Amino acid sequence: MKFVLVFLFLFFNSYSFAQPNNFVQDSIVLDKFKAYTLTESVCYYDLQNLCKKIGHRISGSTAAAKAVEWARQVLINAGADTVYLQPVMVPHWVRGKEDVILNLKNKKKIKLNPLGIGNSDGTNGKPVSAPVVMVNSKEDLEGLQPSDVKGKIVFFNHVWDQSKANPFHEYGGCVYYRWAGPSLAAKYGAVGCVIRSAGSAYDSFAHTGSMRYDSAYPRIPAMALSYKDAVFLEQLINKKEINQLTINSTSYMDAEVLSYNVVGEIIGTELSNEIITFGGHLDSWDVGEGAHDDGAGVVQCIEVIRAIKNARVNPKRTLRCVLFMNEENGLRGGKEYARLAKQKNENHICAIETDAGGTSPRGFNFSGTEAQRNKVKSWLNLFYPLGVYDFEEEGGGADIGPLKENKVTNAVMGLFPDPQRYFDLHHTHNDVFEQVNRRELSMGAVAMTMMVYMLSEYGL
Ligand SMILES: [Zn+2]
């Protein structure tokens, strides 16, 4: 017993020396959040309900509408002072039947397992068959003769660079081929486009995601292949065994649909007109269950409300949880939220997004002034016991980007979870509830709650 008391004395003594005075008081509040979310919270079961009862929920779908009503109810139950919907028109892309077939010179046909790239046009059920031309990069394509590409299907075989320690540093480069590859191929006369998935896994799951047609060129069909299918196709091309590739798809863009951002607030007690927005996105791609991307972020943000209410803490500033609609293929929710905030001349101190998966938190990306970053970094000791140590990376989040662009806030942050498995999973059939670990998800929720609370008490 004596030993324990001596230990406690030394611990608190050293702790208080390490912290500015009021942070000792804060650490007691933060410990309450921690104890609650890591033991009795239903955050993980929220994710289970979202994934298993609603499932994937692309913008404009019936499932997305169900997710809106689900989120509204869960935010009310979490204890938000006020919960409301923000209407926004969203695109509705519909995936149809999709095929990529290899027609070999020996007359054999082999079906691959593709995923159409989101927003792309199908072939109206009429197969497009053509010889395939493989390139590794934009420069490779641009170096070809027009006759090498015209009337063919371009295969962008851009390989994910595994040598980068932070996979987010690789994603942008790979995603270029998904986003712009189809129109780049069409510019040179291609009739179809297939890409190696913008993902890091060595498996059979193709990654979908967003693309945009350049109106200057024909809208050609576009498909993503898994790592294994891409390697297989590459080998057959190198062995000159392929006669033609066939793409067939009934996917299409349907009419726009009325949907909503879901918002829940805790009204600040002292500086209620100063707002801290924190959010994730409610929509997902139309495969898997949108568990890491971004069900995890959604339930973590709801947990911030629940944990603060459970601790009976009255934050100084207004805390606004925003579950954005249509991050994946249009960003309409994020844009509308920023537009309204600007129109109402709201005072936003900071916006935080959690949209990088439900694994263990490692830090917060940040974009703002150096003074603001240093202020956040002065709280590091409070976060360090969670394994949250990295406040150096530049960043924020897609949905809160428009807030910064429109100068509604000058500081944005993004929760940075361990990134090593995220690009194996997101936008695939494999992004399911079972891929999320309860403890890791909850640790991310704790980090979010702590950051939101500190911003509420100290501003930025
Ligand atoms: Zn996302």
Side-chain angles (χ1 to χ4, degrees):
M1 187 63 189
K2 223 176 210 173
F3 172 78
V4 172
L5 287 175
V6 169
F7 172 78
L8 284 174
F9 173 76
L10 287 173
F11 176 79
F12 279 111
N13 231 13
S14 63
Y15 200 69
S16 56
F17 279 131
Q19 309 288 335
N21 283 343
N22 40 0
F23 287 3
V24 176
Q25 188 59 40
D26 292 328
S27 70
I28 295 168
V29 176
L30 300 182
D31 280 349
K32 275 194 194 171
F33 300 152
K34 223 178 288 174
Y36 172 70
T37 296
L38 296 181
T39 57
E40 33 180 322
S41 173
V42 295
C43 174
Y44 180 68
Y45 299 106
D46 284 346
L47 184 64
Q48 185 176 35
N49 286 335
L50 179 61
C51 289
K52 298 301 178 192
K53 292 192 177 158
I54 297 174
H56 60 67
R57 45 202 178 274
I58 193 168
S59 294
S61 63
T62 313
K66 279 187 195 161
V68 165
E69 183 47 32
W70 170 86
R72 195 181 70 84
Q73 203 55 55
V74 178
L75 270 169
I76 292 169
N77 295 344
D81 296 339
T82 173
V83 177
Y84 54 93
L85 303 182
Q86 230 171 35
V88 59
M89 293 301 291
V90 296
H92 182 207
W93 184 73
V94 181
R95 186 183 301 282
K97 190 178 167 317
E98 301 168 330
D99 282 316
V100 171
I101 299 164
L102 311 180
N103 306 287
L104 303 188
K105 287 186 175 157
N106 65 10
K107 307 287 181 207
K108 264 193 178 165
K109 289 180 190 294
I110 301 172
K111 266 189 165 188
L112 299 182
N113 218 347
L115 269 183
I117 301 178
N119 295 347
S120 68
D121 286 357
T123 62
N124 293 322
K126 290 179 212 136
V128 171
S129 295
V132 58
V133 54
M134 178 171 72
V135 292
N136 293 328
S137 67
K138 177 176 188 266
E139 293 70 28
D140 275 6
L141 179 69
E142 288 168 347
L144 294 175
Q145 296 299 318
S147 58
D148 293 334
V149 184
K150 197 167 169 40
K152 297 191 178 161
I153 292 171
V154 169
F155 169 36
F156 284 109
N157 189 27
H158 185 80
V159 178
W160 182 276
D161 180 358
Q162 298 282 0
S163 72
K164 291 182 182 161
N166 182 347
F168 277 88
H169 296 168
E170 174 59 10
Y171 185 57
C174 276
V175 134
Y176 170 81
Y177 294 96
R178 189 190 77 211
W179 174 256
S183 281
L184 186 64
K187 176 180 174 183
Y188 294 99
V191 294
C193 175
V194 294
I195 65 162
R196 186 193 273 239
S197 283
S200 53
Y202 299 100
D203 65 15
S204 306
F205 292 99
H207 291 235
T208 188
S210 206
M211 59 84 63
R212 188 176 66 87
Y213 285 118
D214 182 333
S215 58
Y217 309 110
R219 298 163 66 100
I220 63 175
M223 298 275 179
L225 301 180
S226 70
Y227 167 84
K228 284 189 178 169
D229 274 356
V231 169
F232 183 56
L233 176 58
E234 175 187 334
Q235 287 169 347
L236 291 175
I237 290 171
N238 286 337
K239 288 195 265 178
K240 301 193 184 339
E241 290 183 12
I242 296 194
N243 193 10
Q244 284 194 325
L245 217 61
T246 298
I247 298 178
N248 198 4
S249 160
T250 56
S251 301
Y252 64 100
M253 186 64 85
D254 209 345
E256 292 195 352
V257 172
L258 175 63
S259 189
Y260 304 90
N261 292 330
V262 184
V263 184
E265 289 182 358
I266 299 177
I267 312 293
T269 47
E270 291 176 31
L271 300 163
S272 61
N273 64 333
E274 296 191 13
I275 297 162
I276 291 138
T277 286
F278 56 99
H281 63 85
L282 205 46
D283 64 308
S284 76
W285 275 106
D286 58 340
V287 291
E289 293 166 358
H292 278 286
D293 188 8
D294 186 24
V298 165
V299 300
Q300 285 172 336
C301 290
I302 296 172
E303 181 65 15
V304 172
I305 300 271
R306 190 186 286 127
I308 288 174
K309 282 292 179 183
N310 175 74
R312 300 184 191 283
V313 169
N314 298 312
K316 282 185 188 165
R317 293 173 173 78
T318 292
L319 309 184
R320 188 185 286 168
C321 166
V322 186
L323 307 176
F324 295 95
M325 186 48 72
N326 188 228
E327 187 273 347
E328 293 292 5
N329 65 330
L331 215 60
R332 297 281 185 87
K335 288 175 179 167
E336 178 63 6
Y337 180 73
R339 190 188 69 78
L340 288 170
K342 178 110 187 157
Q343 191 185 62
K344 294 179 195 161
N345 205 18
E346 287 178 345
N347 184 6
H348 285 241
I349 302 299
C350 182
I352 317 178
E353 184 144 2
T354 158
D355 181 21
T359 50
S360 289
R362 298 283 185 243
F364 285 88
N365 300 339
F366 183 81
S367 176
T369 66
E370 258 330 280
Q372 288 171 326
R373 186 191 293 271
N374 288 336
K375 183 161 184 179
V376 173
K377 278 164 73 174
S378 74
W379 305 333
L380 182 66
N381 280 350
L382 297 168
F383 288 88
Y384 209 72
L386 300 181
V388 172
Y389 59 88
D390 186 353
F391 294 79
E392 297 298 334
E393 193 89 13
E394 195 67 19
D399 292 297
I400 56 176
L403 283 175
K404 190 146 197 289
E405 283 154 31
N406 289 292
K407 299 192 170 38
V408 175
T409 182
N410 68 347
V412 289
M413 301 172 78
L415 179 69
F416 176 60
D418 186 294
Q420 301 306 334
R421 291 190 309 128
Y422 186 62
F423 295 106
D424 287 2
L425 300 170
H426 91 143
H427 300 190
T428 75
H429 282 287
N430 209 9
D431 184 9
V432 292
F433 174 68
E434 289 76 4
Q435 295 287 357
V436 179
N437 175 279
R438 178 177 179 172
R439 179 80 180 174
E440 294 178 7
L441 176 78
S442 304
M443 290 292 278
V446 170
M448 283 293 291
T449 309
M450 287 170 55
M451 183 57 78
V452 167
Y453 177 75
M454 290 303 284
L455 287 164
S456 158
E457 298 314 286
Y458 298 99
L460 198 58

